[in-house]
């Protein structure tokens, strides 16, 4: 459903960038050669400072998104409508936690500790995906998150399996496999509801109406306003631009909505024969930036929940550290 194909037009609308200053010309030449040959950069390799910083920024934001993303759906575990749905939802939310952990580990290979990344999240300095700052009002929202939010995430993440930084690319392969299950379980839950009562069908339509535009904004600002895209694409971190990925997602989702029997809340959404893509309406970027900058409906609640969970877990970390230092002391004593 979501493929590795690169059948999108060349991104012509990217913001132009000034190449960063060269710190070490010989090492830079080897690095550039590897990037040009589509090779992988590994943790022990020399890399420009900007490349390292961009990766830490993106991978840690990605990890935070996975962890904060557990919250809107986690709210529904105790209210799932059947044992089967509860078991699926528990597995999905647990997967998201696992994704966060792979990603924190990938970022740690770049020399930033998990503690530093978590401090940045908890102090509000680090970003996480805007989408998790909206509320899940009813069970249909859980299905729509699987179908649309995970669907958008997969579209964005499949090209990251080819990212030039080895540990990130390898982590994304497993993440994408699991996200594919997440997307399908969401779509299947919605198909079941659409075969139900009028009230259930109305719940699905209402959830689609509330989430559609937020999912389109998940891909990030338009290419022309994206400060990082051009350089990240030059470095092989991003492979497809924000606008091209958004377009791919829309084109893949329209037929799925038709099969499901819902409408997408955009009067301007229509097939453009000449472009061989769907045209679509204006995304509300003011609302997006307001949410990214901390003023969405759930930002404060999400951050407070994360900080509380972290603080409540302090005794577990203390106990694990005390145990490992006891084990180390025992090994040293035995060896003496
Ligand atoms: N939300 O130049 P741009 C999941 C920020 S979770 C918030 O385009 P870039 C799931 C951007 O960070 C998976 N902020 O940046 C979990 C930058 O700010 P800074 C989520 C956003 O990095 C649970 C500024 O805007 N996926 O699947 O080249 C349940 C300028 O943007 C957003 C990922 O994290 C946003 N939506 O491109 C269900 C994918 N968009 O850093 C599902 C990995 C942009 O300058 N990340 N910003 O302060 C990426 O692919 C890229 O970082 C982005 C942005 C496409 C998101």
């Amino acid at each position: 459903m979501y493929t590795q194909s690169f059948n999108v037009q060349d991104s012509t609308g990217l913001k132009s960038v000034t190449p960063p200053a060269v710190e070490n010309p010989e090492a830079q030449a080897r690095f550039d050669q590897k990037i040009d040959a589509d090779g992988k950069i590994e943790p022990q390799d020399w890399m420009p400072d900007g490349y390292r910083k961009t990766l830490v920024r993106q991978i840690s934001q990605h990890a935070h998104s996975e962890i904060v993303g557990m919250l809107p759906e986690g709210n529904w575990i105790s209210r799932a409508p059947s044992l089967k749905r509860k078991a699926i939802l528990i597995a999905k939310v647990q997967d998201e936690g696992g994704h966060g952990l792979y990603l924190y580990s990938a970022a740690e290979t770049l020399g930033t500790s998990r503690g530093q990344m978590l401090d940045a999240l908890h102090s509000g300095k680090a970003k996480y995906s805007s989408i998790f700052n909206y509320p899940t009002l009813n069970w249909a929202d859980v299905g729509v998150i699987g179908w649309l939010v995970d669907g958008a995430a997969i579209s964005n993440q499949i090209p990251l399996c080819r990212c030039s930084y080895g540990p990130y690319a390898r982590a994304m392969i497993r993440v994408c496999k699991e996200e594919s299950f997440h997307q399908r379980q969401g779509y299947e839950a919605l198909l079941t509801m659409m075969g139900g009562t009028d009230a259930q069908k109305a719940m699905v339509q209402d959830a689609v109406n509330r989430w559609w535009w937020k999912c389109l904004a998940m891909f990030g600002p338009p290419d022309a306003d994206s400060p990082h895209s051009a350089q990240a694409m030059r470095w092989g971190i991003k492979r497809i631009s924000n606008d091209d990925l958004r377009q791919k997602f829309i084109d893949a989702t329209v037929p799925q909505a038709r099969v499901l029997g819902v409408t997408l809340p955009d009067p301007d959404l229509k097939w453009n024969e000449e472009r061989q893509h769907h045209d679509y309406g204006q995304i509300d970027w003011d609302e997006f930036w307001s949410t990214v900058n901390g003023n969405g409906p759930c930002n404060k609640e999400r951050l407070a929940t994360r900080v509380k969970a972290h603080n409540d877990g302090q005794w577990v970390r203390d106990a694990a550290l005390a145990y490992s230092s006891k084990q180390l002391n025992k090994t040293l004593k035995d060896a003496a």
Side-chain angles (χ1 to χ4, degrees), residues 57 61 96 127 130 153 156 179 218 220 226-228 238 242:
R57 181 186 61 79
Q61 286 178 1
E96 309 295 3
K127 291 193 167 69
S130 51
N156 168 282
E179 297 289 18
M218 268 178 85
S226 159
H228 303 300
K238 278 167 98 156
N242 297 358

Side-chain angles (χ1 to χ4, degrees), residues 131-305:
I131 196 76
F132 302 117
N133 291 310
Y134 299 99
T136 38
L137 302 182
N138 65 49
W139 177 253
D141 289 42
V142 174
V144 168
I145 289 182
W147 174 37
L148 295 179
V149 175
D150 285 271
I154 302 167
S155 309
N156 168 282
Q157 290 172 173
I158 282 178
L160 292 175
C161 298
R162 299 171 183 225
C163 164
S164 59
Y165 188 58
Y168 193 22
R170 289 190 287 274
M172 291 321 297
I173 293 170
R174 176 156 174 189
V175 170
C176 284
K177 286 186 181 157
E178 291 175 353
E179 297 289 18
S180 179
F181 147 68
H182 298 171
Q183 195 270 353
R184 278 151 198 259
Q185 67 79 35
Y187 193 66
E188 194 267 340
L190 296 177
L191 273 174
T192 305
M193 287 183 83
M194 291 304 286
T197 62
D198 285 348
Q200 285 171 314
K201 290 180 198 167
M203 275 165 73
V204 175
Q205 184 62 61
D206 168 60
V208 170
N209 293 348
R210 282 182 287 106
W211 288 93
W212 174 248
W213 288 103
K214 322 289 185 219
C215 288
L216 297 191
M218 268 178 85
F219 293 92
D223 293 349
D225 301 329
S226 159
H228 303 300
S229 284
Q231 184 61 68
M233 289 181 78
R234 168 68 191 99
W235 277 328
I237 296 172
K238 278 167 98 156
R239 297 290 181 155
I240 306 183
S241 78
N242 297 358
D243 284 332
D244 287 347
L245 280 172
R246 194 171 2 255
Q247 182 71 66
K248 257 170 104 72
F249 171 72
I250 293 169
D251 291 343
T253 308
V254 168
Q256 295 168 12
R258 211 171 292 131
V259 171
L260 193 58
V262 294
T263 55
L264 297 171
D266 178 359
D268 296 324
L269 185 66
K270 58 174 181 308
W271 179 250
N272 182 323
E273 192 57 36
E274 200 181 320
R275 290 200 313 122
Q276 291 290 299
H277 288 296
H278 290 85
D279 290 338
Y280 56 97
Q282 268 301 319
I283 295 169
D284 185 346
W285 292 112
D286 290 341
E287 199 262 354
F288 167 79
W289 287 117
S290 158
T291 301
V292 170
N293 291 326
N295 303 312
C298 300
N299 296 60
K300 288 181 185 62
E301 181 188 330
R302 298 286 185 247
L303 214 51
T305 308

Side-chain angles (χ1 to χ4, degrees), residues 54-103:
T54 296
L55 281 167
V56 170
R57 181 186 61 79
Q58 178 167 327
I59 304 173
S60 65
Q61 286 178 1
H62 193 163
H64 300 328
S65 303
E66 300 282 358
I67 301 290
V68 177
M70 297 167 78
L71 302 175
E73 291 178 285
N75 278 341
W76 281 89
I77 291 174
S78 60
R79 291 172 285 169
S82 69
L83 180 60
K84 176 182 142 187
R85 296 287 174 207
K86 190 192 282 268
I88 294 172
L89 187 56
I90 289 172
K92 178 187 189 298
V93 171
Q94 190 169 296
D95 282 353
E96 309 295 3
H99 298 172
L101 298 186
Y102 317 147
L103 289 163

Side-chain angles (χ1 to χ4, degrees), residues 23-76:
E23 306 147 28
N24 177 339
E26 266 177 40
Q28 177 78 48
R30 277 196 302 277
F31 172 86
D32 288 343
Q33 216 173 19
K34 210 176 227 183
I35 295 285
D36 291 341
D38 218 5
K40 289 273 177 277
I41 306 296
E42 297 297 338
Q44 66 277 15
D45 294 340
W46 182 92
M47 60 188 86
D49 200 39
Y51 179 80
R52 187 184 298 277
K53 281 196 183 126
T54 296
L55 281 167
V56 170
R57 181 186 61 79
Q58 178 167 327
I59 304 173
S60 65
Q61 286 178 1
H62 193 163
H64 300 328
S65 303
E66 300 282 358
I67 301 290
V68 177
M70 297 167 78
L71 302 175
E73 291 178 285
N75 278 341
W76 281 89

Side-chain angles (χ1 to χ4, degrees), residues 322-333:
Y323 180 74
S324 79
S325 102
K326 208 165 105 183
Q327 290 297 100
L328 180 68
N329 284 340
K330 188 172 176 305
T331 313
L332 292 175
K333 219 163 124 192

